Protein backbone atom coordinates (compact mmCIF):
# COMPACT_ATOMS: atom_id res chain seq x y z
CA UNK A 1 0.00 0.00 0.00
CA UNK A 2 1.30 3.43 -0.88
CA UNK A 3 -0.62 6.53 0.24
CA UNK A 4 -4.36 6.21 0.62
CA UNK A 5 -6.56 3.45 -0.71
CA UNK A 6 -10.33 3.36 -0.91
CA UNK A 7 -12.73 0.52 -1.53
CA UNK A 8 -14.83 -0.14 -3.43
CA UNK A 9 -13.93 1.85 -6.55
CA UNK A 10 -17.59 2.09 -7.45
CA UNK A 11 -20.86 0.72 -6.18
CA UNK A 12 -24.52 0.71 -7.15
CA UNK A 13 -26.74 0.43 -4.11
CA UNK A 14 -30.45 0.08 -3.55
CA UNK A 15 -32.07 2.76 -1.42
CA UNK A 16 -32.44 1.73 2.19
CA UNK A 17 -29.37 -0.51 2.18
CA UNK A 18 -26.45 -0.08 4.54
CA UNK A 19 -23.04 0.55 3.02
CA UNK A 20 -19.53 1.06 4.39
CA UNK A 21 -16.87 2.81 2.35
CA UNK A 22 -13.37 1.84 3.38
CA UNK A 23 -10.32 4.08 3.62
CA UNK A 24 -6.80 3.10 4.65
CA UNK A 25 -3.63 5.18 4.74
CA UNK A 26 -0.07 4.07 5.35
CA UNK A 27 1.51 7.49 5.91
CA UNK A 28 0.87 7.51 9.68
CA UNK A 29 -1.04 10.77 9.30
CA UNK A 30 -2.92 11.97 12.36
CA UNK A 31 -5.88 13.55 10.60
CA UNK A 32 -8.31 11.95 8.16
CA UNK A 33 -11.31 13.32 6.29
CA UNK A 34 -14.29 12.21 4.25
CA UNK A 35 -15.61 14.45 1.47
CA UNK A 36 -18.30 14.16 -1.11
CA UNK A 37 -17.97 15.82 -4.49
CA UNK A 38 -21.00 16.63 -6.61
CA UNK A 39 -21.07 18.23 -10.05
CA UNK A 40 -20.93 22.02 -9.81
CA UNK A 41 -20.22 22.02 -6.09
CA UNK A 42 -16.98 22.13 -4.19
CA UNK A 43 -15.74 19.32 -2.04
CA UNK A 44 -17.93 19.16 1.05
CA UNK A 45 -16.65 17.75 4.32
CA UNK A 46 -18.76 14.98 5.81
CA UNK A 47 -16.77 13.92 8.87
CA UNK A 48 -13.20 14.23 10.04
CA UNK A 49 -10.89 12.77 12.64
CA UNK A 50 -7.98 14.72 14.11
CA UNK A 51 -6.45 11.63 15.72
CA UNK A 52 -7.26 8.00 16.40
CA UNK A 53 -10.19 7.68 18.79
CA UNK A 54 -11.77 11.05 17.95
CA UNK A 55 -14.18 12.15 15.23
CA UNK A 56 -16.03 15.32 14.33
CA UNK A 57 -18.86 16.48 12.10
CA UNK A 58 -18.23 18.44 8.96
CA UNK A 59 -20.54 20.47 6.76
CA UNK A 60 -22.86 17.63 5.63
CA UNK A 61 -22.79 14.86 8.27
CA UNK A 62 -26.46 13.78 8.22
CA UNK A 63 -26.97 10.18 7.13
CA UNK A 64 -23.31 9.28 7.62
CA UNK A 65 -21.24 7.93 10.48
CA UNK A 66 -17.54 7.28 10.95
CA UNK A 67 -15.19 5.58 13.36
CA UNK A 68 -11.44 5.85 13.94
CA UNK A 69 -10.32 2.80 15.87
CA UNK A 70 -6.69 3.16 14.75
CA UNK A 71 -4.42 5.54 12.86
CA UNK A 72 -4.68 3.85 9.48
CA UNK A 73 -8.40 3.19 8.94
CA UNK A 74 -11.33 5.58 8.66
CA UNK A 75 -14.50 3.87 7.38
CA UNK A 76 -17.59 5.82 6.38
CA UNK A 77 -21.00 4.19 6.87
CA UNK A 78 -24.30 5.04 5.27
CA UNK A 79 -26.86 3.49 7.60
CA UNK A 80 -29.77 3.63 5.16
CA UNK A 81 -28.79 4.97 1.76
CA UNK A 82 -30.94 7.52 -0.07
CA UNK A 83 -30.66 8.69 -3.71
CA UNK A 84 -29.34 12.11 -2.63
CA UNK A 85 -26.23 10.33 -1.37
CA UNK A 86 -25.28 9.49 -4.94
CA UNK A 87 -21.88 11.12 -5.26
CA UNK A 88 -18.15 10.61 -5.50
CA UNK A 89 -16.62 10.12 -2.08
CA UNK A 90 -13.02 11.02 -1.34
CA UNK A 91 -11.05 10.12 1.72
CA UNK A 92 -8.06 12.31 2.59
CA UNK A 93 -5.38 12.51 5.25
CA UNK A 94 -2.93 15.08 6.55
CA UNK A 95 -0.04 15.13 8.98
CA UNK A 96 -1.69 17.48 11.45
CA UNK A 97 -3.72 17.43 14.63
CA UNK A 98 -6.50 20.00 14.77
CA UNK A 99 -4.89 22.67 12.61
CA UNK A 100 -5.42 21.97 8.91
CA UNK A 101 -2.36 23.86 7.78
CA UNK A 102 -0.78 20.74 6.36
CA UNK A 103 -1.45 19.42 2.90
CA UNK A 104 -4.29 16.97 2.50
CA UNK A 105 -3.61 13.88 0.38
CA UNK A 106 -6.55 12.23 -1.31
CA UNK A 107 -7.51 8.66 -2.06
CA UNK A 108 -8.72 7.69 -5.55
CA UNK A 109 -12.40 8.02 -4.62
CA UNK A 110 -15.48 5.83 -4.54
CA UNK A 111 -18.26 6.48 -7.03
CA UNK A 112 -21.55 5.60 -5.32
CA UNK A 113 -24.93 5.42 -7.02
CA UNK A 114 -28.05 4.96 -4.90
CA UNK A 115 -31.15 3.89 -6.81
CA UNK B 1 -21.57 32.87 5.13
CA UNK B 2 -18.35 31.63 3.67
CA UNK B 3 -17.80 31.77 -0.04
CA UNK B 4 -15.11 31.02 -2.57
CA UNK B 5 -15.58 32.15 -6.16
CA UNK B 6 -13.78 30.78 -9.20
CA UNK B 7 -14.74 30.87 -12.86
CA UNK B 8 -16.57 27.71 -13.86
CA UNK B 9 -14.64 27.09 -17.05
CA UNK B 10 -11.74 28.57 -19.02
CA UNK B 11 -10.22 27.75 -22.40
CA UNK B 12 -6.62 28.35 -23.42
CA UNK B 13 -4.22 27.38 -26.18
CA UNK B 14 -1.32 24.97 -25.89
CA UNK B 15 1.91 26.88 -25.22
CA UNK B 16 0.11 29.94 -23.88
CA UNK B 17 -0.30 31.36 -20.36
CA UNK B 18 -3.50 31.28 -18.32
CA UNK B 19 -4.46 32.87 -15.02
CA UNK B 20 -7.18 31.30 -12.86
CA UNK B 21 -8.60 33.65 -10.26
CA UNK B 22 -10.05 32.86 -6.85
CA UNK B 23 -11.76 35.32 -4.51
CA UNK B 24 -12.83 34.39 -1.03
CA UNK B 25 -14.93 35.64 1.87
CA UNK B 26 -14.30 33.48 4.90
CA UNK B 27 -14.39 33.77 8.67
CA UNK B 28 -10.70 34.26 9.16
CA UNK B 29 -7.80 33.15 7.01
CA UNK B 30 -5.02 30.69 7.75
CA UNK B 31 -3.81 29.83 4.28
CA UNK B 32 -4.90 29.02 0.75
CA UNK B 33 -4.37 25.89 -1.33
CA UNK B 34 -4.53 25.17 -5.03
CA UNK B 35 -5.20 21.61 -6.14
CA UNK B 36 -5.34 20.03 -9.58
CA UNK B 37 -7.94 17.40 -10.39
CA UNK B 38 -8.00 15.47 -13.64
CA UNK B 39 -11.36 14.06 -14.69
CA UNK B 40 -12.22 10.94 -12.74
CA UNK B 41 -9.22 11.27 -10.46
CA UNK B 42 -8.41 12.57 -7.00
CA UNK B 43 -7.32 16.15 -6.30
CA UNK B 44 -3.55 16.56 -6.03
CA UNK B 45 -1.69 19.35 -4.25
CA UNK B 46 -0.22 22.18 -6.31
CA UNK B 47 0.58 25.07 -3.98
CA UNK B 48 0.05 26.68 -0.59
CA UNK B 49 0.11 30.40 0.19
CA UNK B 50 -0.18 31.97 3.62
CA UNK B 51 1.74 35.22 3.09
CA UNK B 52 1.11 37.87 0.43
CA UNK B 53 3.05 37.53 -2.75
CA UNK B 54 3.98 35.12 -5.49
CA UNK B 55 5.11 31.54 -5.02
CA UNK B 56 6.74 30.03 -8.10
CA UNK B 57 7.07 26.32 -8.74
CA UNK B 58 8.19 25.45 -12.24
CA UNK B 59 5.51 26.27 -14.79
CA UNK B 60 2.99 27.00 -12.04
CA UNK B 61 2.87 30.09 -9.81
CA UNK B 62 0.36 31.12 -7.16
CA UNK B 63 -0.28 34.63 -5.89
CA UNK B 64 -2.04 35.79 -2.73
CA UNK B 65 -3.38 39.15 -1.55
CA UNK B 66 -4.95 38.75 1.89
CA UNK B 67 -6.20 42.33 2.02
CA UNK B 68 -8.16 41.79 -1.20
CA UNK B 69 -9.27 38.23 -0.45
CA UNK B 70 -7.78 37.21 -3.76
CA UNK B 71 -5.50 34.60 -5.23
CA UNK B 72 -4.59 33.43 -8.68
CA UNK B 73 -2.91 30.41 -10.18
CA UNK B 74 -0.72 31.14 -13.19
CA UNK B 75 0.09 28.35 -15.61
CA UNK B 76 2.81 28.96 -18.21
CA UNK B 77 3.78 27.05 -21.35
CA UNK B 78 0.50 25.20 -21.27
CA UNK B 79 0.52 21.54 -22.19
CA UNK B 80 -2.40 19.31 -23.13
CA UNK B 81 -1.94 17.40 -19.86
CA UNK B 82 -2.81 20.62 -17.98
CA UNK B 83 -6.44 20.10 -19.00
CA UNK B 84 -8.04 19.56 -15.60
CA UNK B 85 -10.05 21.26 -12.90
CA UNK B 86 -8.23 23.59 -10.55
CA UNK B 87 -9.59 23.86 -7.02
CA UNK B 88 -9.04 26.78 -4.67
CA UNK B 89 -9.43 26.09 -0.94
CA UNK B 90 -9.10 28.40 2.07
CA UNK B 91 -8.36 27.50 5.69
CA UNK B 92 -10.74 29.48 7.89
CA UNK B 93 -10.43 30.61 11.50
CA UNK B 94 -11.57 27.18 12.74
CA UNK B 95 -8.87 25.53 10.64
CA UNK B 96 -11.48 24.00 8.36
CA UNK B 97 -10.81 23.84 4.63
CA UNK B 98 -13.44 25.66 2.56
CA UNK B 99 -13.42 24.56 -1.06
CA UNK B 100 -14.35 26.40 -4.22
CA UNK B 101 -16.31 24.54 -6.90
CA UNK B 102 -13.28 24.47 -9.16
CA UNK B 103 -12.35 25.86 -12.57
CA UNK B 104 -12.37 23.48 -15.51
CA UNK B 105 -9.47 24.37 -17.80
CA UNK B 106 -9.69 23.22 -21.40
CA UNK B 107 -6.49 23.32 -23.45
CA UNK B 108 -6.81 23.45 -27.22
CA UNK B 109 -4.01 22.60 -29.66
Amino acid sequence: IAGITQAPTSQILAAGRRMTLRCTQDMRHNAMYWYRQDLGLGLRLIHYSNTAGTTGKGEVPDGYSVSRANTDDFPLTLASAVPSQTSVYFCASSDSSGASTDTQYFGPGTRLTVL
Amino acid sequence: GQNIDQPTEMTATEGAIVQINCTYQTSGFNGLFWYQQHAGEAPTFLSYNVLDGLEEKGRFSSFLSRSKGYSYLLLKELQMKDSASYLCAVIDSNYQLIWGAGTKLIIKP
Side-chain angles (χ1 to χ4, degrees):
Chain A
I1 296 178
I4 300 180
T5 59
Q6 293 184 235
T9 302
S10 65
Q11 182 75 45
I12 298 174
L13 190 66
R17 296 297 295 270
R18 180 184 179 89
M19 176 74 191
T20 296
L21 308 185
R22 300 185 297 279
C23 174
T24 299
Q25 54 106 356
D26 66 355
M27 297 178 284
R28 307 304 294 173
H29 282 171
N30 293 319
M32 296 187 75
Y33 314 86
W34 273 107
Y35 292 94
R36 59 178 291 173
Q37 187 175 39
D38 302 291
L39 198 63
L41 299 177
L43 287 161
R44 291 185 291 170
L45 184 65
I46 304 170
H47 285 286
Y48 65 93
S49 169
N50 289 331
T51 189
T54 68
T55 62
K57 293 182 179 180
E59 179 187 356
V60 288
D62 295 343
Y64 306 95
S65 63
V66 292
S67 62
R68 186 88 184 277
N70 57 60
T71 298
D72 298 345
D73 300 301
F74 191 43
L76 176 75
T77 297
L78 290 67
S80 178
V82 295
S84 62
Q85 292 178 311
T86 294
S87 187
V88 180
Y89 291 86
F90 287 104
C91 179
S93 71
S94 66
D95 186 17
S96 64
S97 291
S100 296
T101 54
D102 286 353
T103 303
Q104 292 189 14
Y105 297 90
F106 286 79
T110 293
R111 184 174 297 275
L112 181 67
T113 302
V114 183
L115 301 176
Chain B
Q2 310 207 87
N3 194 49
I4 296 183
D5 288 318
Q6 306 178 234
T8 301
E9 186 174 297
M10 299 181 69
T11 302
T13 304
E14 189 177 16
I17 299 173
V18 71
Q19 177 176 310
I20 302 174
N21 296 325
C22 170
T23 57
Y24 60 89
Q25 301 89 36
T26 56
S27 58
F29 178 86
N30 284 294
L32 183 145
F33 287 95
W34 283 97
Y35 278 75
Q36 181 189 58
Q37 185 177 24
H38 285 101
E41 298 182 7
T44 56
F45 170 78
L46 283 179
S47 67
Y48 172 70
N49 294 69
V50 66
L51 300 177
D52 289 350
L54 188 68
E55 295 277 345
E56 297 186 79
K57 191 184 295 185
R59 294 189 299 114
F60 292 8
S61 302
S62 56
F63 171 84
L64 174 67
S65 169
R66 288 172 297 172
S67 63
K68 294 182 179 179
Y70 169 70
S71 172
Y72 68 72
L73 181 69
L74 191 71
L75 291 72
K76 304 176 184 176
E77 303 170 14
L78 285 169
Q79 301 175 10
M80 297 304 293
K81 67 178 182 179
D82 297 330
S83 291
S85 290
Y86 292 86
L87 314 180
C88 174
V90 171
I91 305 168
D92 70 7
S93 57
N94 294 319
Y95 290 94
Q96 296 292 327
L97 259 183
I98 311 300
W99 293 84
T103 298
K104 182 178 181 180
L105 178 63
I106 299 169
I107 309 297
K108 295 186 175 181

